[in-house]
Tab-separated table of all heavy atoms in Angstrom:
chain	number	residue	atom	x	y	z
A	1	SER	N	-64.267	-204.909	-39.479
A	1	SER	CA	-64.477	-205.536	-38.176
A	1	SER	C	-65.555	-204.763	-37.426
A	1	SER	O	-65.797	-203.581	-37.692
A	1	SER	CB	-63.182	-205.535	-37.368
A	1	SER	OG	-62.825	-204.197	-37.024
A	2	GLU	N	-66.194	-205.442	-36.464
A	2	GLU	CA	-67.257	-204.782	-35.709
A	2	GLU	C	-66.725	-203.579	-34.952
A	2	GLU	O	-67.398	-202.556	-34.844
A	2	GLU	CB	-67.911	-205.768	-34.734
A	2	GLU	CG	-69.094	-205.166	-34.000
A	2	GLU	CD	-69.919	-206.199	-33.266
A	2	GLU	OE1	-69.890	-207.373	-33.687
A	2	GLU	OE2	-70.594	-205.827	-32.292
A	3	GLU	N	-65.495	-203.671	-34.467
A	3	GLU	CA	-64.884	-202.559	-33.743
A	3	GLU	C	-64.705	-201.346	-34.653
A	3	GLU	O	-65.002	-200.211	-34.263
A	3	GLU	CB	-63.533	-202.986	-33.158
A	3	GLU	CG	-62.857	-201.917	-32.313
A	3	GLU	CD	-61.533	-202.391	-31.729
A	3	GLU	OE1	-61.200	-203.581	-31.885
A	3	GLU	OE2	-60.835	-201.548	-31.127
A	4	SER	N	-64.242	-201.610	-35.878
A	4	SER	CA	-64.046	-200.511	-36.833
A	4	SER	C	-65.382	-199.889	-37.228
A	4	SER	O	-65.512	-198.671	-37.334
A	4	SER	CB	-63.329	-201.018	-38.082
A	4	SER	OG	-62.017	-201.445	-37.786
A	5	LYS	N	-66.391	-200.751	-37.427
A	5	LYS	CA	-67.710	-200.246	-37.801
A	5	LYS	C	-68.281	-199.345	-36.703
A	5	LYS	O	-68.824	-198.270	-36.975
A	5	LYS	CB	-68.661	-201.407	-38.104
A	5	LYS	CG	-68.370	-202.099	-39.431
A	5	LYS	CD	-69.506	-202.995	-39.872
A	5	LYS	CE	-69.557	-204.276	-39.102
A	5	LYS	NZ	-70.545	-205.233	-39.648
A	6	LYS	N	-68.145	-199.788	-35.466
A	6	LYS	CA	-68.662	-198.981	-34.360
A	6	LYS	C	-67.948	-197.633	-34.271
A	6	LYS	O	-68.566	-196.595	-34.023
A	6	LYS	CB	-68.494	-199.743	-33.053
A	6	LYS	CG	-69.478	-200.894	-32.871
A	6	LYS	CD	-69.273	-201.581	-31.524
A	6	LYS	CE	-70.299	-202.702	-31.324
A	6	LYS	NZ	-70.091	-203.396	-30.018
A	7	ALA	N	-66.618	-197.656	-34.481
A	7	ALA	CA	-65.841	-196.418	-34.410
A	7	ALA	C	-66.281	-195.442	-35.504
A	7	ALA	O	-66.437	-194.236	-35.268
A	7	ALA	CB	-64.353	-196.728	-34.544
A	8	ILE	N	-66.513	-195.984	-36.718
A	8	ILE	CA	-66.928	-195.130	-37.841
A	8	ILE	C	-68.336	-194.600	-37.608
A	8	ILE	O	-68.616	-193.413	-37.831
A	8	ILE	CB	-66.851	-195.919	-39.170
A	8	ILE	CG1	-65.393	-196.235	-39.508
A	8	ILE	CG2	-67.502	-195.126	-40.309
A	8	ILE	CD1	-65.235	-197.208	-40.665
A	9	ILE	N	-69.247	-195.476	-37.132
A	9	ILE	CA	-70.623	-195.056	-36.857
A	9	ILE	C	-70.647	-193.949	-35.815
A	9	ILE	O	-71.332	-192.932	-35.973
A	9	ILE	CB	-71.459	-196.263	-36.379
A	9	ILE	CG1	-71.675	-197.246	-37.528
A	9	ILE	CG2	-72.819	-195.788	-35.844
A	9	ILE	CD1	-72.259	-198.579	-37.106
A	10	ASN	N	-69.862	-194.125	-34.742
A	10	ASN	CA	-69.815	-193.104	-33.685
A	10	ASN	C	-69.245	-191.791	-34.213
A	10	ASN	O	-69.719	-190.706	-33.865
A	10	ASN	CB	-68.981	-193.603	-32.504
A	10	ASN	CG	-69.680	-194.708	-31.729
A	10	ASN	OD1	-70.905	-194.791	-31.744
A	10	ASN	ND2	-68.907	-195.573	-31.075
A	11	ALA	N	-68.225	-191.893	-35.072
A	11	ALA	CA	-67.600	-190.681	-35.617
A	11	ALA	C	-68.595	-189.884	-36.453
A	11	ALA	O	-68.617	-188.653	-36.416
A	11	ALA	CB	-66.382	-191.057	-36.464
A	12	VAL	N	-69.455	-190.600	-37.196
A	12	VAL	CA	-70.444	-189.930	-38.041
A	12	VAL	C	-71.612	-189.415	-37.215
A	12	VAL	O	-72.009	-188.255	-37.318
A	12	VAL	CB	-70.961	-190.881	-39.148
A	12	VAL	CG1	-72.118	-190.227	-39.917
A	12	VAL	CG2	-69.838	-191.241	-40.103
A	13	LEU	N	-72.150	-190.270	-36.345
A	13	LEU	CA	-73.363	-189.914	-35.613
A	13	LEU	C	-73.104	-188.929	-34.482
A	13	LEU	O	-74.035	-188.252	-34.028
A	13	LEU	CB	-74.037	-191.169	-35.058
A	13	LEU	CG	-74.480	-192.196	-36.103
A	13	LEU	CD1	-75.269	-193.317	-35.433
A	13	LEU	CD2	-75.324	-191.556	-37.191
A	14	ASP	N	-71.862	-188.825	-34.013
A	14	ASP	CA	-71.543	-187.851	-32.968
A	14	ASP	C	-71.581	-186.427	-33.489
A	14	ASP	O	-71.655	-185.470	-32.723
A	14	ASP	CB	-70.159	-188.134	-32.361
A	14	ASP	CG	-70.211	-189.287	-31.365
A	14	ASP	OD1	-71.330	-189.694	-30.999
A	14	ASP	OD2	-69.140	-189.780	-30.968
A	15	ASN	N	-71.505	-186.303	-34.831
A	15	ASN	CA	-71.576	-184.976	-35.445
A	15	ASN	C	-73.023	-184.496	-35.385
A	15	ASN	O	-73.928	-185.134	-35.919
A	15	ASN	CB	-71.103	-185.060	-36.905
A	15	ASN	CG	-71.159	-183.721	-37.613
A	15	ASN	OD1	-71.552	-182.710	-37.032
A	15	ASN	ND2	-70.757	-183.723	-38.869
A	16	GLU	N	-73.278	-183.366	-34.741
A	16	GLU	CA	-74.643	-182.859	-34.577
A	16	GLU	C	-75.320	-182.573	-35.913
A	16	GLU	O	-76.545	-182.557	-36.012
A	16	GLU	CB	-74.637	-181.572	-33.731
A	16	GLU	CG	-74.208	-181.795	-32.293
A	16	GLU	CD	-74.238	-180.504	-31.490
A	16	GLU	OE1	-74.561	-179.453	-32.088
A	16	GLU	OE2	-73.941	-180.548	-30.287
A	17	ASP	N	-74.539	-182.338	-36.933
A	17	ASP	CA	-75.106	-181.978	-38.236
A	17	ASP	C	-75.103	-183.160	-39.200
A	17	ASP	O	-75.120	-183.002	-40.403
A	17	ASP	CB	-74.299	-180.816	-38.837
A	17	ASP	CG	-75.039	-180.149	-39.992
A	17	ASP	OD1	-76.274	-180.039	-39.905
A	17	ASP	OD2	-74.370	-179.767	-40.968
A	18	HIS	N	-75.075	-184.393	-38.617
A	18	HIS	CA	-74.918	-185.558	-39.487
A	18	HIS	C	-76.191	-185.919	-40.250
A	18	HIS	O	-76.136	-186.557	-41.295
A	18	HIS	CB	-74.464	-186.770	-38.662
A	18	HIS	CG	-75.583	-187.453	-37.950
A	18	HIS	ND1	-76.322	-188.474	-38.523
A	18	HIS	CD2	-76.121	-187.249	-36.719
A	18	HIS	CE1	-77.253	-188.878	-37.673
A	18	HIS	NE2	-77.154	-188.157	-36.577
A	19	ARG	N	-77.351	-185.554	-39.758
A	19	ARG	CA	-78.601	-185.992	-40.368
A	19	ARG	C	-78.750	-185.482	-41.805
A	19	ARG	O	-78.396	-184.352	-42.104
A	19	ARG	CB	-79.798	-185.496	-39.550
A	19	ARG	CG	-79.843	-186.065	-38.141
A	19	ARG	CD	-80.122	-187.547	-38.148
A	19	ARG	NE	-80.208	-188.088	-36.802
A	19	ARG	CZ	-80.352	-189.369	-36.522
A	19	ARG	NH1	-80.403	-190.251	-37.497
A	19	ARG	NH2	-80.424	-189.796	-35.275
A	20	MET	N	-79.313	-186.337	-42.657
A	20	MET	CA	-79.531	-185.951	-44.056
A	20	MET	C	-80.627	-184.898	-44.127
A	20	MET	O	-81.779	-185.154	-43.780
A	20	MET	CB	-79.947	-187.175	-44.886
A	20	MET	CG	-78.841	-188.160	-45.134
A	20	MET	SD	-79.363	-189.405	-46.331
A	20	MET	CE	-79.485	-188.420	-47.807
A	21	ARG	N	-80.267	-183.721	-44.585
A	21	ARG	CA	-81.241	-182.640	-44.673
A	21	ARG	C	-82.230	-182.850	-45.807
A	21	ARG	O	-83.284	-182.230	-45.838
A	21	ARG	CB	-80.522	-181.300	-44.851
A	21	ARG	CG	-79.656	-180.932	-43.649
A	21	ARG	CD	-78.984	-179.592	-43.843
A	21	ARG	NE	-78.190	-179.233	-42.673
A	21	ARG	CZ	-77.504	-178.105	-42.564
A	21	ARG	NH1	-77.516	-177.234	-43.558
A	21	ARG	NH2	-76.806	-177.850	-41.473
A	22	ASN	N	-81.862	-183.716	-46.754
A	22	ASN	CA	-82.743	-183.942	-47.899
A	22	ASN	C	-83.701	-185.109	-47.667
A	22	ASN	O	-84.451	-185.476	-48.561
A	22	ASN	CB	-81.907	-184.206	-49.162
A	22	ASN	CG	-81.091	-183.004	-49.552
A	22	ASN	OD1	-81.568	-181.889	-49.453
A	22	ASN	ND2	-79.859	-183.217	-49.971
A	23	LEU	N	-83.639	-185.723	-46.456
A	23	LEU	CA	-84.515	-186.840	-46.115
A	23	LEU	C	-85.577	-186.357	-45.137
A	23	LEU	O	-85.263	-185.780	-44.098
A	23	LEU	CB	-83.700	-187.975	-45.496
A	23	LEU	CG	-84.485	-189.206	-45.032
A	23	LEU	CD1	-85.070	-189.942	-46.226
A	23	LEU	CD2	-83.584	-190.136	-44.225
A	24	ARG	N	-86.845	-186.610	-45.471
A	24	ARG	CA	-87.935	-186.138	-44.615
A	24	ARG	C	-88.978	-187.237	-44.458
A	24	ARG	O	-89.424	-187.831	-45.443
A	24	ARG	CB	-88.589	-184.908	-45.245
A	24	ARG	CG	-89.743	-184.312	-44.453
A	24	ARG	CD	-90.196	-183.007	-45.096
A	24	ARG	NE	-90.975	-183.229	-46.296
A	24	ARG	CZ	-92.306	-183.155	-46.353
A	24	ARG	NH1	-92.992	-182.860	-45.267
A	24	ARG	NH2	-92.945	-183.340	-47.490
A	25	TYR	N	-89.346	-187.519	-43.202
A	25	TYR	CA	-90.387	-188.509	-42.942
A	25	TYR	C	-91.748	-187.815	-42.942
A	25	TYR	O	-91.934	-186.768	-42.308
A	25	TYR	CB	-90.166	-189.194	-41.592
A	25	TYR	CG	-91.288	-190.128	-41.203
A	25	TYR	CD1	-91.557	-191.262	-41.973
A	25	TYR	CD2	-92.073	-189.875	-40.086
A	25	TYR	CE1	-92.592	-192.118	-41.632
A	25	TYR	CE2	-93.112	-190.734	-39.739
A	25	TYR	CZ	-93.364	-191.858	-40.513
A	25	TYR	OH	-94.387	-192.698	-40.189
A	26	VAL	N	-92.707	-188.374	-43.685
A	26	VAL	CA	-94.057	-187.824	-43.759
A	26	VAL	C	-95.024	-188.835	-43.169
A	26	VAL	O	-95.208	-189.931	-43.722
A	26	VAL	CB	-94.457	-187.498	-45.216
A	26	VAL	CG1	-95.861	-186.893	-45.249
A	26	VAL	CG2	-93.448	-186.542	-45.851
A	27	ASN	N	-95.632	-188.488	-42.052
A	27	ASN	CA	-96.530	-189.400	-41.345
A	27	ASN	C	-97.951	-189.300	-41.905
A	27	ASN	O	-98.906	-188.991	-41.203
A	27	ASN	CB	-96.519	-189.083	-39.841
A	27	ASN	CG	-97.259	-190.142	-39.033
A	27	ASN	OD1	-97.402	-191.276	-39.481
A	27	ASN	ND2	-97.716	-189.757	-37.857
A	28	GLU	N	-98.076	-189.547	-43.204
A	28	GLU	CA	-99.364	-189.552	-43.895
A	28	GLU	C	-99.381	-190.701	-44.885
A	28	GLU	O	-98.320	-191.177	-45.321
A	28	GLU	CB	-99.594	-188.231	-44.651
A	28	GLU	CG	-99.681	-187.000	-43.772
A	28	GLU	CD	-99.960	-185.744	-44.595
A	28	GLU	OE1	-100.759	-185.839	-45.557
A	28	GLU	OE2	-99.381	-184.692	-44.288
A	29	ASP	N	-100.558	-191.146	-45.269
A	29	ASP	CA	-100.661	-192.193	-46.270
A	29	ASP	C	-100.152	-191.672	-47.615
A	29	ASP	O	-100.597	-190.618	-48.086
A	29	ASP	CB	-102.112	-192.659	-46.416
A	29	ASP	CG	-102.241	-193.785	-47.427
A	29	ASP	OD1	-101.928	-194.928	-47.077
A	29	ASP	OD2	-102.646	-193.498	-48.572
A	30	PHE	N	-99.253	-192.412	-48.222
A	30	PHE	CA	-98.585	-191.936	-49.442
A	30	PHE	C	-99.578	-191.679	-50.573
A	30	PHE	O	-99.535	-190.628	-51.222
A	30	PHE	CB	-97.544	-192.961	-49.896
A	30	PHE	CG	-96.888	-192.604	-51.208
A	30	PHE	CD1	-95.935	-191.601	-51.276
A	30	PHE	CD2	-97.241	-193.253	-52.386
A	30	PHE	CE1	-95.334	-191.254	-52.484
A	30	PHE	CE2	-96.652	-192.919	-53.591
A	30	PHE	CZ	-95.697	-191.923	-53.635
A	31	GLU	N	-100.475	-192.635	-50.839
A	31	GLU	CA	-101.389	-192.502	-51.969
A	31	GLU	C	-102.305	-191.285	-51.797
A	31	GLU	O	-102.554	-190.543	-52.741
A	31	GLU	CB	-102.231	-193.770	-52.129
A	31	GLU	CG	-101.420	-195.024	-52.445
A	31	GLU	CD	-100.660	-194.916	-53.768
A	31	GLU	OE1	-101.015	-194.060	-54.603
A	31	GLU	OE2	-99.701	-195.683	-53.952
A	32	GLU	N	-102.809	-191.076	-50.562
A	32	GLU	CA	-103.666	-189.921	-50.307
A	32	GLU	C	-102.875	-188.624	-50.450
A	32	GLU	O	-103.375	-187.636	-51.001
A	32	GLU	CB	-104.263	-190.015	-48.895
A	32	GLU	CG	-105.285	-191.134	-48.732
A	32	GLU	CD	-105.900	-191.130	-47.343
A	32	GLU	OE1	-105.618	-190.177	-46.577
A	32	GLU	OE2	-106.642	-192.077	-47.024
A	33	TYR	N	-101.652	-188.632	-49.960
A	33	TYR	CA	-100.803	-187.440	-50.010
A	33	TYR	C	-100.536	-187.032	-51.461
A	33	TYR	O	-100.668	-185.864	-51.827
A	33	TYR	CB	-99.491	-187.733	-49.290
A	33	TYR	CG	-98.558	-186.557	-49.153
A	33	TYR	CD1	-98.715	-185.633	-48.129
A	33	TYR	CD2	-97.492	-186.375	-50.037
A	33	TYR	CE1	-97.851	-184.565	-47.989
A	33	TYR	CE2	-96.627	-185.309	-49.909
A	33	TYR	CZ	-96.811	-184.404	-48.875
A	33	TYR	OH	-95.952	-183.338	-48.742
A	34	ILE	N	-100.174	-188.003	-52.283
A	34	ILE	CA	-99.875	-187.723	-53.692
A	34	ILE	C	-101.138	-187.296	-54.431
A	34	ILE	O	-101.112	-186.389	-55.266
A	34	ILE	CB	-99.250	-188.956	-54.371
A	34	ILE	CG1	-97.871	-189.236	-53.771
A	34	ILE	CG2	-99.134	-188.743	-55.872
A	34	ILE	CD1	-96.896	-188.088	-53.893
A	35	SER	N	-102.264	-187.947	-54.111
A	35	SER	CA	-103.528	-187.585	-54.751
A	35	SER	C	-103.888	-186.136	-54.457
A	35	SER	O	-104.322	-185.392	-55.349
A	35	SER	CB	-104.640	-188.513	-54.265
A	35	SER	OG	-105.873	-188.142	-54.829
A	36	ASN	N	-103.686	-185.718	-53.222
A	36	ASN	CA	-103.972	-184.328	-52.840
A	36	ASN	C	-103.037	-183.367	-53.552
A	36	ASN	O	-103.439	-182.281	-53.973
A	36	ASN	CB	-103.841	-184.161	-51.329
A	36	ASN	CG	-104.945	-184.877	-50.567
A	36	ASN	OD1	-106.016	-185.106	-51.107
A	36	ASN	ND2	-104.680	-185.248	-49.325
A	37	LYS	N	-101.767	-183.762	-53.694
A	37	LYS	CA	-100.797	-182.910	-54.387
A	37	LYS	C	-101.189	-182.724	-55.853
A	37	LYS	O	-101.104	-181.620	-56.394
A	37	LYS	CB	-99.395	-183.533	-54.307
A	37	LYS	CG	-98.663	-183.249	-53.022
A	37	LYS	CD	-98.213	-181.797	-52.977
A	37	LYS	CE	-97.401	-181.505	-51.739
A	37	LYS	NZ	-96.986	-180.091	-51.686
A	38	MET	N	-101.600	-183.816	-56.491
A	38	MET	CA	-101.995	-183.731	-57.897
A	38	MET	C	-103.226	-182.850	-58.053
A	38	MET	O	-103.338	-182.063	-58.987
A	38	MET	CB	-102.262	-185.130	-58.443
A	38	MET	CG	-101.033	-186.004	-58.548
A	38	MET	SD	-101.392	-187.640	-59.219
A	38	MET	CE	-101.822	-187.239	-60.902
């Protein structure tokens, strides 16, 4: 139910350490970034 979903979302997101540490946003063009890495 929408109520249950909201409760679960709040329970997870209220945790200050909830963010995925293995996920990183890179504000660069992917092809150029990979080309430079290679």
Side-chain angles (χ1 to χ4, degrees):
S1 67
E2 184 168 335
E3 184 179 354
S4 295
K5 287 194 284 188
K6 286 182 178 179
I8 293 170
I9 291 169
N10 289 334
V12 173
L13 299 186
D14 282 348
N15 180 0
E16 294 181 358
D17 195 37
H18 81 89
R19 297 292 182 185
M20 288 189 68
R21 296 181 178 181
N22 295 321
L23 178 68
R24 180 173 76 101
Y25 174 64
V26 181
N27 189 23
E28 297 182 39
D29 182 79
F30 175 75
E31 297 298 341
E32 291 183 7
Y33 185 83
I34 293 302
S35 178
N36 291 335
K37 278 288 184 181
M38 292 181 68

